[in-house]
Amino acid sequence: MDKFVIDQAEGLRRLLARVGSRVVAVTGGAGAPGRTTTVVNLAAALTEQGKDVLVIDECLGPRSVCTTLGGVRGAGNFEAVMRGEMALADAVGRHGLGFSVLAASRENRARYTGAQLQKVLAGPADVVLIDAQLDAEGALSPLALHAHDVLIVMRVCAQSITDTYASVKRLHFAHAIGQFRVLANQVASVEEAQSALENLAGVASRYLSVTLESAGWVAADPHMPRAVRLSRCIVDAFPSTVAARDFRHLADALPHWPMRPAVSSRSPGTSRLLGAAAAAAADAFVSTVAGVTSAPEPAHAGWRADPPAQRPTTQPA
């Protein structure tokens, strides 16, 4: 009996042993669905829970992770890591909340093979969050192809939902990705968010044979623009707000997502034109969501302060 208990304990230890980092590529459709602010707030929430988090900033420029956070010193040593001149631990910038940031421009990433890029993912981090930049064809970078999960951020309006569907199509045909996670952002109504996520999942399943799993939602919160102006995470600046609690729900759930192989290890995608039925799916989907959204909103730069809505303070994990 004692041996049976010891064997069970040893098996559990092996099961729970961490094997490498959990890599999540976070992206979104056209416009400003809130991909970058999702990355930094999720990083803050995971760090708050004791996780070692590395953020890789692929989308350099005025709306990059580093710019959103007011500048993170020492985050631009990507090439030094790739050349073997610096260890990853010495090359990253460290945010005041405890997570690390590494900037990786398109030009830098293009010079290296997938095996070489693995160097930046082989460190001690529990979770690596990539603010993923899609190319002109809507495909992931060679670095983001190491992700175990692709999380797509969308807003609950007709234009953003349609853009999300288009991103799913491109990513699916480029990389043969069969499962995505979708996060509804800046949500005014939980019921509308749930309905939009369910409708989107149904259309993707019907036309693409793709599984879309809900990652939950983040409330529209008037404190978010203020946090952005302060170059801070709402999780840290306004921890009692509904949006901050929603990011913590997401951070709670992420470690329990089923661990899938990295995108790069799955079957290669096929480059082909979509058939008429698949192309018509976007029109079908707009009709499907018409009952749960207002008129399409134009793409916008930055966060919009939606009015707060009455909603539960908790949501399912």
Side-chain angles (χ1 to χ4, degrees):
M1 183 66 174
D2 289 342
K3 183 178 185 302
F4 175 73
V5 172
I6 292 171
D7 288 345
Q8 275 194 323
E10 180 59 28
L12 184 60
R13 279 192 292 272
R14 287 196 300 268
L15 180 65
L16 297 178
R18 186 174 68 85
V19 181
S21 303
R22 179 68 174 262
V23 183
V24 181
V26 183
T27 188
R35 180 198 66 242
T36 299
T37 42
T38 294
V39 169
V40 297
N41 279 285
L42 181 55
L46 287 165
T47 303
E48 201 176 71
Q49 295 176 1
K51 300 289 191 299
D52 188 334
V53 180
L54 169 64
V55 173
I56 297 179
D57 187 2
E58 288 193 341
C59 305
L60 306 188
R63 299 190 62 77
S64 67
V65 168
C66 292
T67 302
T68 299
L69 295 173
V72 180
R73 293 183 180 180
N77 297 311
F78 179 84
E79 285 216 74
V81 175
M82 299 307 300
R83 292 194 299 261
E85 298 171 359
M86 295 182 71
L88 180 62
D90 299 323
V92 298
R94 183 73 65 170
H95 186 266
L97 296 179
F99 58 85
S100 303
V101 180
L102 184 66
S105 70
R106 181 190 297 272
E107 293 74 17
N108 286 345
R109 299 191 309 270
R111 300 176 188 177
Y112 303 101
T113 66
Q116 291 172 317
L117 291 169
Q118 181 64 31
K119 287 182 180 180
V120 302
L121 305 174
D126 298 305
V127 181
V128 176
L129 300 175
I130 303 177
D131 191 2
Q133 183 182 51
L134 305 181
D135 66 16
E137 302 299 321
L140 294 169
S141 72
L143 182 59
L145 284 175
H146 290 279
H148 303 104
D149 304 279
V150 178
L151 174 63
I152 300 181
V153 181
M154 75 171 190
R155 295 181 57 210
V156 184
C157 67
Q159 186 59 60
S160 183
I161 296 171
T162 304
D163 290 341
T164 298
Y165 180 80
S167 292
V168 168
K169 276 198 301 187
R170 295 189 192 102
L171 288 165
H172 171 62
F173 281 94
H175 307 299
I177 302 174
Q179 303 90 20
F180 297 85
R181 298 241 172 212
V182 182
L183 177 72
N185 194 25
Q186 302 188 58
V187 169
S189 164
V190 172
E191 291 74 20
E192 286 189 359
Q194 291 174 321
S195 180
L197 289 167
E198 289 171 3
N199 289 338
L200 179 59
V203 171
S205 175
R206 179 180 177 185
Y207 288 94
L208 301 175
S209 297
V210 164
T211 300
L212 299 186
E213 300 177 13
S214 171
W217 51 84
V218 175
D221 197 310
H223 292 85
M224 182 63 79
R226 185 177 176 189
V228 172
R229 287 195 297 271
L230 293 171
S231 300
R232 294 179 65 183
C233 306
I234 195 170
V235 167
D236 168 57
F238 306 105
S240 62
T241 58
V242 177
R245 293 199 294 270
D246 288 342
F247 280 119
R248 291 193 183 94
H249 283 302
L250 177 59
D252 286 337
L254 188 151
H256 303 288
W257 294 351
M259 190 69 162
R260 302 186 177 105
V263 173
S264 58
S265 67
R266 303 174 197 174
S267 300
T270 56
S271 179
R272 61 189 181 189
L273 295 175
L274 299 179
D283 293 336
F285 181 66
V286 170
S287 298
T288 302
V289 302
V292 298
T293 61
S294 57
E297 300 178 24
H300 62 91
W303 286 89
R304 178 171 64 84
D306 291 333
Q310 296 296 320
R311 65 191 299 278
T313 57
T314 59
Q315 67 183 53

